[in-house]
Structure formats: structure tokens, C-alpha cells
Amino acid sequence: MDQKKIRVRFAPSPTGPLHMGGVRTALFNYLFARKHGGDFLLRIEDTDQTRYVPGAEAYITESLKWCGLVPDEGPGFGGSFGPYRQSERKAMYFSFARQLVDSGWAYYSFDTPGDLDRLRAEAEAAGEVFAYNQQTRGSLCNSLALTPGETEQRISSGEPYAIRFKMPENMDVTEEDLIRGSVTFNTRELDDKVLFKSDGMPTYHLANVVDDHLMEISHVIRGEEWLPSMPLHILLYRAFGWEESRPRFAHLPLILKPQGKGKLSKRDGDKMGFPVFPLLWKDPESGENFRGYREDGYFPEAFINMLALLGWNAGTDQEIFTMEELIENFSLERVVKSGSRFDPEKTRWFNRYYLQQKSAAELAALFMPLLEAKNIQAAPDKVVAVIEEIKDRCDFVADIWEQGHYFFEAPAVYDEKTVAKRWKAETPAQLEAMAALFETIGSWEAGAIKEQFSAFMNEKGWNFGGVMNPLRLCLVGGNLGPDLFRICELIGQEETISRIRKAVQLIG
RNA sequence: GGUCCGUUCAUCUAAGGGUUAGGAUUCAAGAUUUUCAUUCUUGCCAUAGGGGUUCGAAUCCCCUACGGACUGCCA
């Protein structure tokens, strides 16, 4: 058996921003392609004109680029199997649908959406569920129930119609899913899906199968929500006579909400305080903003690493993977079958890990723009030195400010609890003495400051904690931060003294 | 309702008939830090329930329960 080239596709619909479940699907496709030296394509499934959202496709593309999942082929990425937008392939789908009608695998349906809505409503009122299937098609308005003459007449008179798949009766369709193993459906339970809509566009089912065939896709790796339509797709390949070359299927488990029931949805981010989208998304309709991992300060490598481990593992204790390591280790066999609850805490932990791996200089480059946005001028050397001191208390670049703002500006407020606990009657006098001492120090460097400080303290016989804690309060505004003398050194002699005197004055 | 898929610590997961059921996150405690955080150490915590098969079951089979997806001229 000759080995077909591995070709996989990520086929989102541009109906809104890509959410993290979609990114994970793209990631697994990408890893599978890279692992096997194959191609990763992006195909835009925009066959539903009513749901088209401007900007969604650009969002998808930008998200994939941010994540490092750059397609080998796709709109704007080149490739010889294009076009890669289904709307641009529109002209070819009808003949495929027509081919199925001619071969008896499909039929014309004249029932209007309104007719069907009514039937569904009636069935529901009767406590039943309406399905357009082998039981009901004989009594509905279609080319199976009508005479050939009537059908012909309706078509030539320009009556709109859809083309439906004629689901075979009582046939077992079994497929070896690459993740789930053998899955069997009986066609008796399946309905006659629309393949071609009355608006001249194919449905997902038709377009998907036709395009996967034409684009020579070898493996369809998609979300579990598609599992129920797998038998239809398999039958379509059979109906077209493409069974020999048809792709293999792998259905990925879903990503579930951190708490509560159901799969992760767009709104969960706002409700539970974490992004569900890779990038910030401004909804063009409502103007509403949805937060993104990028804007929330996550590194793409952390985001990808987290996503990769949501439903997959290498079979070892390794949890930190570069993209190269993911490619090397990836296999569909090691994808878990059950849905995974998303864990925002673990995601934060991954980000922390990647941040800690970066040098102070790298972080400084990322942090400088934040300082500039606050109109704070700081020497790059100082920023690097500050980050060196506080990096290990940060999970995000923005935490550098949270954890170290006092290196760049005098505290505006003093933590009340700390004041209550550390500020004693003798404190003002002691601090004033300290300010005076600091004025005499010639070499303003942590070691020297500490030496002078200690000598002075010993001479006075003061309690170290009794002075150091209030001193820290003056400089940082609270009971936190790295080594006190490093803080003194970094903020400078003049500023240190000025902050002491200011605090003494304000706190009293 | 129907069809299909699933079920190991709170969470992500390992263990593919024989392990004290392992790792990570979270949480808790101790050590370090004359502060806070970090770091380190330790700890807590799981095979949904019931039947089989077997010398032996988290692992294989059946039933139940629970969870999920789908059930559109959406994808």
C-alpha cells in the first residue's frame, strides 16, 4: 500500500472569534502534520451567508500566527489546492450534489423552512421529535414522493429546492476512529440531511466532503461535536465513489467549563474571570469586548503548552514542552477520550514558568512599553536590575508593575495594617536619625548601606526589626518587597532619604 | 425523547490483568526570607455504584447512575 501524503486541515467557520477549543483543534492538526512531514491547511468554511461576521477570518489568521500555527496552505498562505474559502468555490458544489441525485443517493426537496418549522412545532406539541428521514420523506414534498413530471414542473418553474441525502435504510456504518476506536451507527437512526441549500450554497456536509477529497486530505481531526455526522460523511465518500482515498477520522474530546455543566462557551470568560479567546475580540455587532490571552499577558508558548496538555500527554511526567518537543512527541493515540475541564490556575502556572525562563533583559524589553504608557522615564539598566530583584514574584509581565511600582514612583499610600503593626512611638525619631545617617553615606550600594546601617543600629542598640520594617514601609508603602538595601540602592540615595522624610511627615 | 461518546485525587492526567494507584496544579503545614513573595520539604486527596470473568481487575464483559455531544436549508 503506497503511503499517501499526510494532509490535514483546520476548517473553521468565520462566524465569530476562534475560541480556545478551536485553537486546540488547530494545534493538534498542526502537530500531527508536522510530526509526519505533512501539510497543514486552513480552509474557511463560509457557506452560511447569514452568519458571516466581518473580521472573523482575519481574527482566525492572526490567532494562528500568534500561536505559531502557520498554515502551509490557505487563504493568504498560498497552496495549489485553492481557493481555500468555500464561498469562492461555490460554483463547483452544485454539480456534485446533482451527481448524487442522478445516482439515486440524493433527492430534491421542496419543503420550505417554514413548512419544516411547523412540522417541528407540531411534533413538539405532541411530545415528539420531527425528523426528515426514511420514515417521513415519503409523505413530504420531495422528488421521492412526487411524480417525475411534478418534480420536473416545479424545478422548471423556478421553485426553490434543497437537495437532501437519501439515507440508506437499516445499514450499519462502522468506522475506526483514531482516538475512540470502533464506532458504529445504524442509518435507521439518521436523517436525510440537506446537502445543498435553496440559496445556492452547499451545507457543511457536502462542502466538507467534497473539499477534503479535492484537497487530498488524509486525516480529519476535529471536535467531538462532529462525531454524530461521521456516518453521513462516510456514506458521502461512498456515494461519490471516493472510498478508496477517503480520509481517516479522529474526534477530539471537548473542553469543558472549569465549574458547572457543559462545554466551555464564549460567555464563561466574563463570568469566571479568564479569557476563552486567544486574542482580544471586539464584537462588531454589539461593540462588546471579549478578552484574549495575548492581551491578558499570556505568552503564546504558555498558552499552547497548556492547550496541548488539555486532552493529551506524552505518557511521561513531562509537562513543559516547546513546540518542537510537542511535534516530536505527539500522537493521536495519546489523546484522551473524555472531555477535559479547563483549569485557569494551571494556565497561570504555565505562564509563570515561561516568564521565569526569560532573562531580566528580555522581560525589560516587554515591560518598557508599560512604563512608557505610564509616562515614567527609567534607565534601561535600572529596569533590568529591578526585574532581576522581583521577577520571581511575577506570573505576568504586568505583575512587574504590581510588584515593583515603588522602584519607579514614591508610594502614594501606606498600608494601614502595616502602619498599625510596625509604626511605634519611637519610630519617627529613629527614621529621622536614619535619614541623617544615609546622607553621610558616600558609596550608595546595598552592601555599604547595610554595613553602615548595621553599625549604626548596634551603636544605638536598637532592635533591627523595629527599624527595618518601618523603613520598608516608607520606601515601598507596605510590608513587601525584596532586600531592603537593594531597594535603597535602586531607588537612589536622594529618593530614599526623601521618602523617609515624607513618610515621617505623613504618618507622624 | 432518540442516537452516539465518555467516567481514576477538587482540577489536568499516568498505570493497556499483578505498583504502597504515580506526576502536575490547587490547597494545608514546616523550613528559609529580621518583611512579603519566591524557593525547598512534607502532607491532604481518587479508580461512580452493582454484578460477573480471573489465582489476581482501575484495566475485560454486563447492568445502573451520572456527565457530554448531536438531533437546523448553522458549522
Side-chain angles (χ1 to χ4, degrees), chain A residues 385-393 403-407 468 472 475-476 478-488 490:
Chain A
V386 165
I387 292 173
E388 208 75 71
E389 291 299 324
I390 60 168
K391 171 184 159 181
D392 62 5
R393 18 194 9 124
Q403 296 296 329
H405 60 92
Y406 51 83
F407 283 104
M468 286 179 77
R472 175 179 294 279
L475 302 183
V476 317
N479 183 32
L480 56 99
D483 181 73
L484 187 55
F485 303 104
R486 277 295 284 164
I487 297 176
C488 291
L490 285 166

Side-chain angles (χ1 to χ4, degrees), chain A residues 436-457:
Chain A
L437 170 74
F438 284 175
E439 280 176 328
T440 69
I441 295 177
S443 155
W444 193 253
E445 174 274 320
I449 303 166
K450 181 174 185 175
E451 221 170 276
Q452 302 261 341
F453 174 86
S454 303
F456 186 78
M457 290 294 288

